[in-house]
């Protein structure tokens, strides 16, 4: 099946620094990529939807300036957590969809655990 | 707004037995899709099974099957011959036909007792 990778798998950073997380579709081109946040023992919360070459669409309550998303190519989307604080510590998961619309399956990355000290 | 409800935060089942996980959803749309995802301790999301709303026949994937009751807006997952590797968090999810977004339920943690 289609593979989505995330890098890094875990990161620890100091408060106030920025962290970039990469999401790559390895064997398919992703028209749309999604970024989720998952707190311990909770469900996935969609943060934003990004389409290649256009601005990301953020869900209500998600700060655009805090979570910068760039979908520069059909195989790569990045999430940058700017000026990270301890409350940004979480598990971040990306997914990628090969085609727009329809019921096309979303393929999930393995996630990135962010810890902000 | 569409919602997905999983009323069982945790369940346990004896190995080799059958277990059913419940899910209800709310929508006014006619074109949508339903999914069950598995999230093992590795945290990797794995698609278990999917159902198109227009299909009356319940989806089946080996030991996994669903009971799709469209009128009742119910979408339960049955796991037969439970195995230790089935232990995971299971999320019920909904997607509109014209939309790319998936809406997840809160999840049910399934324990398999040896």
């Amino acid at each position: 099946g289609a593979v989505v990778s995330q890098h890094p798998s875990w990161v620890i950073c100091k408060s106030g620094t920025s962290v970039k997380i990469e999401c790559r579709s390895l064997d398919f081109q992703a028209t749309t990529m999604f970024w989720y946040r998952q707190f311990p023992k909770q469900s996935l919360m969609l943060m934003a939807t990004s389409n290649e070459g256009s601005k990301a669409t953020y869900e209500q309550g998600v700060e655009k300036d805090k979570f910068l998303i760039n979908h520069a190519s059909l195989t790569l989307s990045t999430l940058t957590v700017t000026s990270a604080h301890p409350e940004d510590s979480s598990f971040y998961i990306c997914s990628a969809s090969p085609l727009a619309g329809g019921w096309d399956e979303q393929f999930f990355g393995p996630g990135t655990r962010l810890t902000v000290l | 707004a569409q919602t997905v409800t999983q009323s069982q935060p945790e369940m346990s089942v004896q190995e080799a037995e059958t277990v059913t996980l419940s899910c209800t959803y709310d929508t006014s749309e006619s074109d949508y899709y339903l999914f069950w995802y598995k999230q093992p301790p590795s945290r990797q999301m794995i698609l278990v099974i999917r159902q198109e709303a227009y299909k009356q026949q319940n989806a089946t994937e080996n030991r996994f099957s669903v009971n799709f009751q469209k009128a009742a807006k119910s979408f339960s997952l049955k796991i037969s011959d439970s195995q230790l590797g089935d232990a995971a968090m299971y999320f019920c999810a909904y997607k509109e036909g014209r939309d790319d977004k998936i809406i997840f339920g809160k999840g049910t943690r399934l324990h398999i007792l040896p």
Side-chain angles (χ1 to χ4, degrees), chain A residues 41, chain B residues 9 37-40 87-91 106-110:
Chain A
K41 298 185 179 181
Chain B
Y37 282 91
K38 171 185 178 181
Q39 188 180 41
M89 195 75 165
Y90 286 82
F91 292 101
K106 291 185 180 297
T108 296
R109 182 165 299 281
L110 179 64

Side-chain angles (χ1 to χ4, degrees), chain A residues 60-75:
Chain A
Q60 193 173 9
V62 178
E63 298 177 60
K64 299 178 183 180
D65 297 330
K66 159 70 84 173
F67 300 101
L68 300 180
I69 292 172
N70 187 327
H71 192 160
S73 78
L74 287 173
T75 58

Side-chain angles (χ1 to χ4, degrees), chain A residues 6 9 19 27 40 43 46-47 53 57 73 76 115:
Chain A
Q6 277 185 246
S9 56
V19 175
D27 50 5
S43 188
L46 180 65
M47 299 174 65
T57 301
S73 78
L76 173 65
T115 302

Side-chain angles (χ1 to χ4, degrees), chain B residues 35-50:
Chain B
F35 310 88
W36 278 97
Y37 282 91
K38 171 185 178 181
Q39 188 180 41
S42 68
R43 306 291 289 270
Q44 174 73 58
M45 295 288 285
I46 301 166
L47 178 65
V48 175
I49 199 165
R50 60 182 160 224

Side-chain angles (χ1 to χ4, degrees), chain A residues 4 7 12 18 23 31-32 40 53 63 76 96:
Chain A
V4 175
H7 179 78
I12 301 173
S18 294
C23 176
T31 305
T32 308
E63 298 177 60
L76 173 65

